[in-house]
Amino acid sequence: SATTMGNMTGIIPTVDQIEALHRKLAPSDAAYDLIHTHCVIIAQITRQLIHRRNALFMRRCTLPADAPERTGEPAPGAFAVPATDGVTGGTVPPRYLDAGQAVLGALLHDIGTYRVLKNDGSNGEPLTFDGPHYVQHGLIGYDLLLNEGYDESIAQYARNHTGVGLTREAVVRQGLPLPPDDYVPVNLEQEVVMVADKYHSKSVPPKFLTADAYARKAARFGEDNKEQWLDLVRTYGEPDVPALAEEYHMRLVD
């Protein structure tokens, strides 16, 4: 049997198993619809962002040295690689990204949010989240996935997607109800899910946000936070958020 660092390798779930887990944990249809649909959307954006970066990786040998896709700096008048899957911009990644694993991670990243609902929708009233404890949903999801027997590599997507990377320092400084630790992506696949997640909000009703709209939101946590986000946008490129909003018939904040 395969072992990793002395531990049994956990389950790498199928999409069907993931959907069944959402169904099992959802306290109401409304909760399932909001949270599972959000995860499906984030998985779609994740796939788009990875397609983009992998396309740039494939072209790395033919791009000019000063190409914005290499430098991350806008170069007026420079040739720009046409959009991939609706995504424009972005830079050549250091390696090929694993779309398959990232999509599974995206489908599970918010599995813990079923446990931080204030009103869970079973009474027919609108869903609400427990604001003060909401930040715990990543860690709750991580523990939940490990308890389900899922592999650490998959469970980490739940743990490490909050904001633009929740550091130990930020947890302590903001007095968040979490054990002081770094809850930040540990690989590119986790990072892309964290980025994709910012383009859609589980508000009631749910909504899409452009990169600029999220930048305004990030600025509430400080200028550093906003700059980190804008760096990530330069790195991963921008998905076609208006097209997604239209596809899902949801409102768009630009």
Side-chain angles (χ1 to χ4, degrees):
S1 62
T3 57
T4 330
M5 298 183 297
N7 294 326
M8 292 296 289
T9 305
I11 298 161
I12 305 294
T14 64
V15 172
D16 287 347
Q17 284 173 317
I18 291 171
E19 197 202 346
L21 182 61
H22 274 271
R23 288 260 179 225
K24 181 173 100 171
L25 293 170
S28 63
D29 285 347
Y32 173 84
D33 288 343
L34 183 70
I35 293 166
H36 181 258
T37 303
H38 167 75
C39 288
V40 167
I41 288 168
I42 300 318
Q44 184 175 347
I45 298 172
T46 293
R47 194 184 281 115
Q48 291 175 347
L49 293 175
I50 289 184
H51 281 170
R52 175 58 170 180
R53 295 208 76 195
N54 284 349
L56 294 177
F57 187 74
M58 293 302 280
R59 294 191 64 158
R60 69 196 183 283
C61 304
T62 57
L63 289 170
D66 60 351
E69 293 85 2
R70 278 193 194 282
T71 63
E73 298 300 321
F79 167 77
V81 177
T84 311
D85 221 354
V87 183
T88 49
T91 59
V92 175
R95 62 167 174 81
Y96 209 67
L97 276 72
D98 181 349
Q101 194 207 60
V103 163
L104 296 178
L107 289 170
L108 285 165
H109 79 282
D110 260 354
I111 202 78
T113 55
Y114 292 113
R115 298 280 166 88
V116 290
L117 287 162
K118 190 172 179 184
N119 181 54
D120 69 11
S122 55
N123 56 3
E125 294 295 313
L127 290 169
T128 51
F129 288 103
D130 175 356
H133 295 110
Y134 181 75
V135 74
Q136 296 172 345
H137 77 271
L139 191 54
I140 290 169
Y142 172 72
D143 289 337
L144 204 151
L145 292 171
L146 291 179
N147 287 336
E148 287 287 326
Y150 284 18
D151 195 66
E152 173 74 23
S153 64
I154 297 294
Q156 282 183 1
Y157 284 89
R159 187 186 182 281
N160 300 338
H161 73 269
T162 301
V164 289
L166 189 55
T167 60
R168 174 189 291 265
E169 185 269 329
V171 170
V172 173
R173 179 167 40 85
Q174 296 175 42
L176 298 176
L178 284 169
D181 207 347
D182 285 317
Y183 301 92
V184 298
V186 297
N187 56 40
L188 294 173
E189 285 77 10
Q190 288 177 27
E191 185 172 76
V192 74
V193 171
M194 177 185 80
V195 171
D197 185 41
K198 308 293 102 79
Y199 289 106
H200 185 260
S201 165
K202 294 182 303 300
S203 51
V204 180
K207 59 179 183 270
F208 283 90
L209 294 92
T210 60
D212 285 346
Y214 188 79
R216 292 195 298 274
K217 200 170 163 180
R220 299 204 304 252
F221 299 98
E223 202 55 33
D224 282 1
N225 212 279
K226 179 183 168 181
E227 281 312 312
Q228 270 176 283
W229 167 245
L230 294 174
D231 275 345
L232 288 164
V233 173
R234 280 190 285 274
T235 301
Y236 283 94
E238 272 193 71
D240 187 346
V241 184
L244 286 160
E246 204 168 301
E247 180 183 339
Y248 285 94
H249 307 293
M250 290 179 187
R251 61 204 170 117
L252 170 67
V253 181
D254 52 13

